[in-house]
Amino acid sequence: MIDLSIVKGCLRKMKTSARTTILLLLPAVAIYVVLLALPLSTVLEQSFRVFTPGRIGSEAGASLTTENYSELFVPVYAHYFIRTYLLAFCASVIALIFAFPIAYYIARNASSMARKSWISALIGLLFLSSLVRIYAIQLTLGPVGILGPAMSFFGVNMSGGPYLNFVIVAGLLHYQIPMSILILIGAVLNLNPRLTEAAQALGASAFSSHRTVTLPLCIKGLISAFLVSMTLGVSAFAVPWILGQGRVLFISNLIYSRFGEVGNYPSGAAFSVAMIVLSLLLIFLMSRLTTLLDRT
């Protein structure tokens, strides 16, 4: 015989728990809607508006158009997207190549005190002013930097596009390497070291055991570090703006120019929406890649 009073008590507790959960989530949801969803919906709506040269913003009450998105396929603007994602990708891959051995050493070979010191130092680097980082690169690799005479001696054109791309990638690595190391330390710590030791005991070399055991088991951490690095690279503004000397610019610089200098809000909004869509597509593809690698 079921006691109805017990059932009613359980239902009452479930309703109270659900009500408490809603009340706890309400502030976060409200902030999300007001500060993110609403502004993004405004940007999306603005991207379909008509822009009249000579005025700031779009025409009020004008008909909607997709002309702003057709600009994305103009070669000169498509070049911004290609350059942004290509340089961010190259910097992200280089960051992983440098970060993984350092993270492995910190997680496996460093003492507890040394590991804490390493992590504190890496976190401290993330709090360093971005302008300090950028001008440090500028004073090192720029035309008047300490390496300027050596570059001139070897005939390197320090104002050419290839060299500016190299300097921008170096500037991006200032952010990406410390962040990647911090992410990969956790991935390596979660890895059972006996698996690598077992592979070596069965005759595999140290390099082969790390390639076939350590790297596949750390794939989720590697992809997470890559996505974070790509996010930092694609959204970079000051790095290409200063180190690119006004000649090599990213999408963020183009968006700023459209909003701030030209006053063409619809065009800037269209570029912003396209950037968001491409970023979401990248996250989706990397998530699918992680799933496929887990299955294999």
CSV table of all heavy atoms in Angstrom, one decimal, residues 47-96:
chain,number,residue,atom,x,y,z
A,47,SER,N,22.8,43.8,-39.9
A,47,SER,CA,23.5,43.3,-41.0
A,47,SER,C,22.6,43.3,-42.3
A,47,SER,O,23.2,43.2,-43.4
A,47,SER,CB,24.1,42.0,-40.7
A,47,SER,OG,23.1,41.0,-40.6
A,48,PHE,N,21.3,43.3,-42.1
A,48,PHE,CA,20.4,43.3,-43.3
A,48,PHE,C,19.9,44.7,-43.6
A,48,PHE,O,19.0,44.8,-44.5
A,48,PHE,CB,19.2,42.4,-43.0
A,48,PHE,CG,19.6,40.9,-42.9
A,48,PHE,CD1,19.8,40.3,-41.7
A,48,PHE,CD2,19.8,40.2,-44.0
A,48,PHE,CE1,20.1,39.0,-41.6
A,48,PHE,CE2,20.1,38.8,-44.0
A,48,PHE,CZ,20.3,38.2,-42.7
A,49,ARG,N,20.4,45.7,-43.0
A,49,ARG,CA,20.0,47.1,-43.3
A,49,ARG,C,20.7,47.7,-44.5
A,49,ARG,O,21.8,47.2,-44.9
A,49,ARG,CB,20.1,47.9,-42.1
A,49,ARG,CG,19.2,47.6,-40.9
A,49,ARG,CD,17.8,47.8,-41.3
A,49,ARG,NE,16.9,47.5,-40.2
A,49,ARG,CZ,15.6,47.6,-40.2
A,49,ARG,NH1,15.0,48.1,-41.4
A,49,ARG,NH2,14.8,47.3,-39.2
A,50,VAL,N,20.2,48.7,-45.0
A,50,VAL,CA,20.8,49.4,-46.2
A,50,VAL,C,21.6,50.6,-45.6
A,50,VAL,O,21.2,51.3,-44.8
A,50,VAL,CB,19.7,49.9,-47.1
A,50,VAL,CG1,20.3,50.7,-48.3
A,50,VAL,CG2,18.9,48.8,-47.7
A,51,PHE,N,22.8,50.7,-46.2
A,51,PHE,CA,23.7,51.8,-45.8
A,51,PHE,C,23.7,52.9,-46.9
A,51,PHE,O,23.9,52.5,-48.1
A,51,PHE,CB,25.1,51.3,-45.5
A,51,PHE,CG,26.1,52.4,-45.3
A,51,PHE,CD1,26.1,53.2,-44.1
A,51,PHE,CD2,27.1,52.7,-46.3
A,51,PHE,CE1,27.0,54.2,-43.9
A,51,PHE,CE2,28.0,53.7,-46.1
A,51,PHE,CZ,28.0,54.4,-44.9
A,52,THR,N,23.6,54.1,-46.5
A,52,THR,CA,23.7,55.2,-47.5
A,52,THR,C,25.0,56.0,-47.2
A,52,THR,O,25.2,56.5,-46.1
A,52,THR,CB,22.5,56.2,-47.3
A,52,THR,OG1,21.3,55.5,-47.5
A,52,THR,CG2,22.6,57.4,-48.3
A,53,PRO,N,25.9,56.0,-48.2
A,53,PRO,CA,27.2,56.7,-48.0
A,53,PRO,C,26.9,58.2,-47.6
A,53,PRO,O,26.0,58.9,-48.1
A,53,PRO,CB,27.8,56.7,-49.4
A,53,PRO,CG,27.2,55.5,-50.1
A,53,PRO,CD,25.8,55.5,-49.6
A,54,GLY,N,27.8,58.6,-46.7
A,54,GLY,CA,27.7,60.0,-46.2
A,54,GLY,C,26.9,60.1,-44.9
A,54,GLY,O,26.9,61.2,-44.3
A,55,ARG,N,26.3,59.0,-44.4
A,55,ARG,CA,25.7,59.0,-43.1
A,55,ARG,C,26.3,58.0,-42.2
A,55,ARG,O,27.0,57.1,-42.6
A,55,ARG,CB,24.2,58.8,-43.2
A,55,ARG,CG,23.8,57.5,-43.9
A,55,ARG,CD,22.3,57.3,-43.9
A,55,ARG,NE,21.8,57.2,-42.5
A,55,ARG,CZ,20.6,57.7,-42.2
A,55,ARG,NH1,19.8,58.2,-43.1
A,55,ARG,NH2,20.1,57.6,-40.9
A,56,ILE,N,26.0,58.0,-40.9
A,56,ILE,CA,26.4,57.1,-39.9
A,56,ILE,C,25.3,56.1,-39.6
A,56,ILE,O,24.2,56.5,-39.2
A,56,ILE,CB,26.9,57.8,-38.7
A,56,ILE,CG1,28.1,58.7,-39.0
A,56,ILE,CG2,27.3,56.8,-37.6
A,56,ILE,CD1,28.6,59.5,-37.8
A,57,GLY,N,25.6,54.8,-39.8
A,57,GLY,CA,24.6,53.8,-39.5
A,57,GLY,C,23.7,53.6,-40.7
A,57,GLY,O,24.0,54.0,-41.8
A,58,SER,N,22.6,52.9,-40.5
A,58,SER,CA,21.7,52.5,-41.5
A,58,SER,C,20.5,53.4,-41.6
A,58,SER,O,20.3,54.2,-40.7
A,58,SER,CB,21.2,51.0,-41.3
A,58,SER,OG,20.5,51.0,-40.0
A,59,GLU,N,19.8,53.3,-42.7
A,59,GLU,CA,18.6,54.1,-42.8
A,59,GLU,C,17.4,53.5,-42.0
A,59,GLU,O,17.2,52.3,-42.0
A,59,GLU,CB,18.1,54.1,-44.3
A,59,GLU,CG,19.1,54.9,-45.2
A,59,GLU,CD,18.5,55.0,-46.6
A,59,GLU,OE1,17.3,55.1,-46.7
A,59,GLU,OE2,19.3,55.0,-47.6
A,60,ALA,N,16.8,54.4,-41.2
A,60,ALA,CA,15.6,53.9,-40.4
A,60,ALA,C,14.4,53.7,-41.3
A,60,ALA,O,14.1,54.5,-42.2
A,60,ALA,CB,15.3,55.0,-39.4
A,61,GLY,N,13.8,52.5,-41.2
A,61,GLY,CA,12.7,52.1,-41.9
A,61,GLY,C,12.9,51.7,-43.3
A,61,GLY,O,12.0,51.4,-44.1
A,62,ALA,N,14.2,51.6,-43.7
A,62,ALA,CA,14.5,51.1,-45.1
A,62,ALA,C,14.3,49.6,-45.2
A,62,ALA,O,14.2,48.9,-44.2
A,62,ALA,CB,16.0,51.4,-45.4
A,63,SER,N,14.1,49.1,-46.4
A,63,SER,CA,13.9,47.7,-46.7
A,63,SER,C,15.1,46.9,-46.4
A,63,SER,O,16.2,47.4,-46.4
A,63,SER,CB,13.4,47.5,-48.1
A,63,SER,OG,14.4,48.0,-49.0
A,64,LEU,N,14.9,45.6,-46.1
A,64,LEU,CA,16.0,44.8,-45.8
A,64,LEU,C,16.7,44.3,-47.1
A,64,LEU,O,16.1,44.2,-48.1
A,64,LEU,CB,15.5,43.5,-45.0
A,64,LEU,CG,14.8,43.9,-43.7
A,64,LEU,CD1,14.4,42.6,-43.0
A,64,LEU,CD2,15.7,44.7,-42.7
A,65,THR,N,18.0,44.0,-46.9
A,65,THR,CA,18.8,43.6,-48.1
A,65,THR,C,19.9,42.6,-47.7
A,65,THR,O,20.3,42.6,-46.5
A,65,THR,CB,19.5,44.8,-48.8
A,65,THR,OG1,20.2,44.3,-49.9
A,65,THR,CG2,20.4,45.5,-47.8
A,66,THR,N,20.3,41.8,-48.6
A,66,THR,CA,21.4,40.8,-48.4
A,66,THR,C,22.7,41.3,-49.0
A,66,THR,O,23.7,40.6,-49.1
A,66,THR,CB,21.1,39.4,-48.9
A,66,THR,OG1,20.8,39.5,-50.3
A,66,THR,CG2,19.9,38.9,-48.2
A,67,GLU,N,22.7,42.6,-49.5
A,67,GLU,CA,23.9,43.1,-50.2
A,67,GLU,C,25.1,43.2,-49.3
A,67,GLU,O,26.2,43.0,-49.8
A,67,GLU,CB,23.5,44.5,-50.7
A,67,GLU,CG,24.6,45.2,-51.5
A,67,GLU,CD,24.3,46.5,-52.0
A,67,GLU,OE1,23.1,46.9,-51.9
A,67,GLU,OE2,25.2,47.2,-52.6
A,68,ASN,N,24.9,43.4,-48.0
A,68,ASN,CA,26.1,43.4,-47.1
A,68,ASN,C,26.8,42.1,-47.1
A,68,ASN,O,28.0,42.1,-46.9
A,68,ASN,CB,25.6,43.8,-45.7
A,68,ASN,CG,24.9,45.2,-45.7
A,68,ASN,OD1,25.5,46.2,-46.2
A,68,ASN,ND2,23.8,45.2,-45.1
A,69,TYR,N,26.1,41.0,-47.2
A,69,TYR,CA,26.8,39.7,-47.2
A,69,TYR,C,27.4,39.4,-48.5
A,69,TYR,O,28.3,38.6,-48.6
A,69,TYR,CB,25.7,38.6,-46.8
A,69,TYR,CG,25.3,38.7,-45.4
A,69,TYR,CD1,24.2,39.3,-45.0
A,69,TYR,CD2,26.1,38.1,-44.4
A,69,TYR,CE1,23.8,39.3,-43.6
A,69,TYR,CE2,25.8,38.1,-43.1
A,69,TYR,CZ,24.6,38.7,-42.7
A,69,TYR,OH,24.2,38.8,-41.4
A,70,SER,N,26.9,40.0,-49.6
A,70,SER,CA,27.6,39.7,-50.9
A,70,SER,C,29.0,40.3,-50.9
A,70,SER,O,29.9,39.9,-51.7
A,70,SER,CB,26.8,40.4,-52.0
A,70,SER,OG,26.7,41.8,-51.9
A,71,GLU,N,29.3,41.3,-50.1
A,71,GLU,CA,30.6,41.9,-50.0
A,71,GLU,C,31.6,40.9,-49.5
A,71,GLU,O,32.8,41.0,-49.7
A,71,GLU,CB,30.6,43.1,-49.1
A,71,GLU,CG,29.9,44.3,-49.6
A,71,GLU,CD,30.1,45.5,-48.7
A,71,GLU,OE1,30.6,45.3,-47.6
A,71,GLU,OE2,29.7,46.6,-49.1
A,72,LEU,N,31.1,39.9,-48.7
A,72,LEU,CA,32.1,38.9,-48.2
A,72,LEU,C,32.8,38.1,-49.2
A,72,LEU,O,33.9,37.6,-49.0
A,72,LEU,CB,31.3,37.9,-47.3
A,72,LEU,CG,30.5,38.5,-46.1
A,72,LEU,CD1,29.7,37.5,-45.4
A,72,LEU,CD2,31.5,39.2,-45.1
A,73,PHE,N,32.2,38.0,-50.4
A,73,PHE,CA,32.8,37.2,-51.5
A,73,PHE,C,33.6,38.1,-52.4
A,73,PHE,O,34.2,37.6,-53.4
A,73,PHE,CB,31.7,36.5,-52.3
A,73,PHE,CG,30.9,35.6,-51.4
A,73,PHE,CD1,29.6,36.0,-50.9
A,73,PHE,CD2,31.3,34.3,-51.1
A,73,PHE,CE1,28.9,35.2,-50.1
A,73,PHE,CE2,30.6,33.5,-50.3
A,73,PHE,CZ,29.3,33.9,-49.8
A,74,VAL,N,33.7,39.4,-52.2
A,74,VAL,CA,34.6,40.2,-53.0
A,74,VAL,C,36.1,39.8,-52.6
A,74,VAL,O,36.4,39.7,-51.4
A,74,VAL,CB,34.4,41.7,-52.7
A,74,VAL,CG1,35.4,42.6,-53.4
A,74,VAL,CG2,32.9,42.1,-53.0
A,75,PRO,N,36.9,39.6,-53.6
A,75,PRO,CA,38.3,39.1,-53.3
A,75,PRO,C,39.0,39.9,-52.2
A,75,PRO,O,39.7,39.3,-51.4
A,75,PRO,CB,39.0,39.2,-54.7
A,75,PRO,CG,37.9,39.0,-55.6
A,75,PRO,CD,36.7,39.7,-55.0
A,76,VAL,N,38.9,41.2,-52.3
A,76,VAL,CA,39.7,42.0,-51.3
A,76,VAL,C,39.3,41.8,-49.9
A,76,VAL,O,40.1,41.8,-49.0
A,76,VAL,CB,39.6,43.6,-51.7
A,76,VAL,CG1,38.2,44.1,-51.5
A,76,VAL,CG2,40.6,44.4,-50.8
A,77,TYR,N,38.0,41.5,-49.7
A,77,TYR,CA,37.5,41.3,-48.3
A,77,TYR,C,37.7,39.8,-47.9
A,77,TYR,O,37.9,39.5,-46.8
A,77,TYR,CB,36.0,41.7,-48.2
A,77,TYR,CG,35.8,43.1,-48.4
A,77,TYR,CD1,34.9,43.6,-49.3
A,77,TYR,CD2,36.5,44.1,-47.6
A,77,TYR,CE1,34.6,45.0,-49.4
A,77,TYR,CE2,36.2,45.4,-47.7
A,77,TYR,CZ,35.3,45.9,-48.6
A,77,TYR,OH,35.1,47.2,-48.8
A,78,ALA,N,37.5,38.9,-48.9
A,78,ALA,CA,37.8,37.5,-48.6
A,78,ALA,C,39.2,37.3,-48.2
A,78,ALA,O,39.5,36.4,-47.4
A,78,ALA,CB,37.5,36.7,-49.9
A,79,HIS,N,40.1,38.2,-48.7
A,79,HIS,CA,41.5,38.0,-48.3
A,79,HIS,C,41.7,38.3,-46.8
A,79,HIS,O,42.6,37.7,-46.2
A,79,HIS,CB,42.3,39.1,-49.1
A,79,HIS,CG,43.8,38.9,-48.9
A,79,HIS,ND1,44.5,37.8,-49.3
A,79,HIS,CD2,44.7,39.8,-48.4
A,79,HIS,CE1,45.8,38.0,-49.0
A,79,HIS,NE2,45.9,39.1,-48.5
A,80,TYR,N,40.9,39.2,-46.3
A,80,TYR,CA,41.0,39.4,-44.8
A,80,TYR,C,40.7,38.1,-44.0
A,80,TYR,O,41.4,37.8,-43.1
A,80,TYR,CB,40.0,40.5,-44.4
A,80,TYR,CG,40.4,41.9,-44.7
A,80,TYR,CD1,40.1,42.5,-45.9
A,80,TYR,CD2,41.1,42.6,-43.7
A,80,TYR,CE1,40.6,43.8,-46.1
A,80,TYR,CE2,41.6,43.9,-43.9
A,80,TYR,CZ,41.3,44.5,-45.1
A,80,TYR,OH,41.7,45.8,-45.4
A,81,PHE,N,39.6,37.4,-44.5
A,81,PHE,CA,39.2,36.2,-43.8
A,81,PHE,C,40.3,35.1,-43.9
A,81,PHE,O,40.7,34.4,-43.0
A,81,PHE,CB,37.9,35.6,-44.3
A,81,PHE,CG,36.7,36.4,-43.9
A,81,PHE,CD1,36.2,37.5,-44.6
A,81,PHE,CD2,36.1,36.0,-42.7
A,81,PHE,CE1,35.1,38.2,-44.1
A,81,PHE,CE2,34.9,36.7,-42.3
A,81,PHE,CZ,34.5,37.8,-43.0
A,82,ILE,N,40.8,35.0,-45.1
A,82,ILE,CA,41.9,34.0,-45.4
A,82,ILE,C,43.1,34.3,-44.6
A,82,ILE,O,43.7,33.4,-43.9
A,82,ILE,CB,42.2,33.9,-46.9
A,82,ILE,CG1,41.0,33.4,-47.7
A,82,ILE,CG2,43.4,33.0,-47.1
A,82,ILE,CD1,41.2,33.5,-49.2
A,83,ARG,N,43.5,35.5,-44.6
A,83,ARG,CA,44.7,35.9,-43.8
A,83,ARG,C,44.5,35.7,-42.3
A,83,ARG,O,45.4,35.1,-41.6
A,83,ARG,CB,45.1,37.3,-44.1
A,83,ARG,CG,46.3,37.8,-43.2
A,83,ARG,CD,46.4,39.3,-43.3
A,83,ARG,NE,46.7,39.8,-44.7
A,83,ARG,CZ,46.2,40.9,-45.2
A,83,ARG,NH1,45.3,41.6,-44.5
A,83,ARG,NH2,46.5,41.3,-46.4
A,84,THR,N,43.4,36.1,-41.8
A,84,THR,CA,43.1,36.0,-40.4
A,84,THR,C,43.1,34.5,-39.9
A,84,THR,O,43.8,34.2,-38.9
A,84,THR,CB,41.7,36.6,-40.0
A,84,THR,OG1,41.8,38.0,-40.4
A,84,THR,CG2,41.4,36.5,-38.5
A,85,TYR,N,42.4,33.7,-40.6
A,85,TYR,CA,42.3,32.3,-40.1
A,85,TYR,C,43.6,31.5,-40.4
A,85,TYR,O,43.9,30.6,-39.7
A,85,TYR,CB,41.1,31.6,-40.8
A,85,TYR,CG,39.8,32.0,-40.1
A,85,TYR,CD1,39.1,33.1,-40.5
A,85,TYR,CD2,39.4,31.2,-39.0
A,85,TYR,CE1,37.9,33.4,-39.8
A,85,TYR,CE2,38.2,31.6,-38.3
A,85,TYR,CZ,37.4,32.7,-38.8
A,85,TYR,OH,36.3,33.0,-38.1
A,86,LEU,N,44.3,31.9,-41.5
A,86,LEU,CA,45.5,31.2,-41.8
A,86,LEU,C,46.6,31.5,-40.8
A,86,LEU,O,47.3,30.6,-40.3
A,86,LEU,CB,46.0,31.6,-43.2
A,86,LEU,CG,47.3,30.9,-43.7
A,86,LEU,CD1,47.2,29.4,-43.7
A,86,LEU,CD2,47.7,31.4,-45.1
A,87,LEU,N,46.8,32.8,-40.5
A,87,LEU,CA,47.8,33.2,-39.5
A,87,LEU,C,47.5,32.7,-38.1
A,87,LEU,O,48.3,32.2,-37.3
A,87,LEU,CB,48.0,34.7,-39.5
A,87,LEU,CG,48.6,35.3,-40.7
A,87,LEU,CD1,48.8,36.8,-40.5
A,87,LEU,CD2,49.9,34.6,-41.1
A,88,ALA,N,46.2,32.7,-37.8
A,88,ALA,CA,45.7,32.2,-36.5
A,88,ALA,C,46.0,30.7,-36.4
A,88,ALA,O,46.4,30.1,-35.3
A,88,ALA,CB,44.3,32.5,-36.2
A,89,PHE,N,45.7,30.0,-37.5
A,89,PHE,CA,45.9,28.5,-37.5
A,89,PHE,C,47.4,28.2,-37.4
A,89,PHE,O,47.8,27.3,-36.6
A,89,PHE,CB,45.4,28.0,-38.8
A,89,PHE,CG,45.7,26.5,-39.0
A,89,PHE,CD1,44.8,25.6,-38.4
A,89,PHE,CD2,46.7,26.1,-39.8
A,89,PHE,CE1,45.1,24.2,-38.6
A,89,PHE,CE2,47.0,24.7,-40.0
A,89,PHE,CZ,46.2,23.8,-39.4
A,90,CYS,N,48.3,28.9,-38.1
A,90,CYS,CA,49.7,28.7,-38.0
A,90,CYS,C,50.2,28.9,-36.6
A,90,CYS,O,51.0,28.1,-36.1
A,90,CYS,CB,50.4,29.5,-39.0
A,90,CYS,SG,50.1,29.1,-40.8
A,91,ALA,N,49.8,30.0,-36.0
A,91,ALA,CA,50.2,30.3,-34.7
A,91,ALA,C,49.7,29.3,-33.7
A,91,ALA,O,50.4,28.9,-32.7
A,91,ALA,CB,49.7,31.7,-34.3
A,92,SER,N,48.5,28.8,-33.9
A,92,SER,CA,47.9,27.8,-32.9
A,92,SER,C,48.7,26.5,-33.0
A,92,SER,O,49.0,25.9,-32.0
A,92,SER,CB,46.4,27.5,-33.3
A,92,SER,OG,45.7,28.7,-33.1
A,93,VAL,N,49.1,26.1,-34.2
A,93,VAL,CA,49.8,24.8,-34.4
A,93,VAL,C,51.2,25.0,-33.8
A,93,VAL,O,51.7,24.1,-33.1
A,93,VAL,CB,49.9,24.5,-35.9
A,93,VAL,CG1,50.9,23.3,-36.1
A,93,VAL,CG2,48.6,24.1,-36.5
A,94,ILE,N,51.9,26.1,-34.0
A,94,ILE,CA,53.2,26.4,-33.4
A,94,ILE,C,53.1,26.4,-31.9
A,94,ILE,O,54.0,25.9,-31.2
A,94,ILE,CB,53.8,27.7,-34.0
A,94,ILE,CG1,54.0,27.5,-35.5
A,94,ILE,CG2,55.1,28.0,-33.3
A,94,ILE,CD1,54.5,28.8,-36.1
A,95,ALA,N,52.0,27.0,-31.4
A,95,ALA,CA,51.8,27.1,-29.9
A,95,ALA,C,51.7,25.7,-29.3
A,95,ALA,O,52.3,25.4,-28.3
A,95,ALA,CB,50.6,27.9,-29.6
A,96,LEU,N,51.0,24.8,-30.0
A,96,LEU,CA,50.9,23.4,-29.5
A,96,LEU,C,52.2,22.7,-29.6
A,96,LEU,O,52.5,21.9,-28.6
A,96,LEU,CB,49.8,22.6,-30.3
A,96,LEU,CG,48.4,23.0,-30.2
A,96,LEU,CD1,47.5,22.2,-31.0
A,96,LEU,CD2,47.9,23.0,-28.7
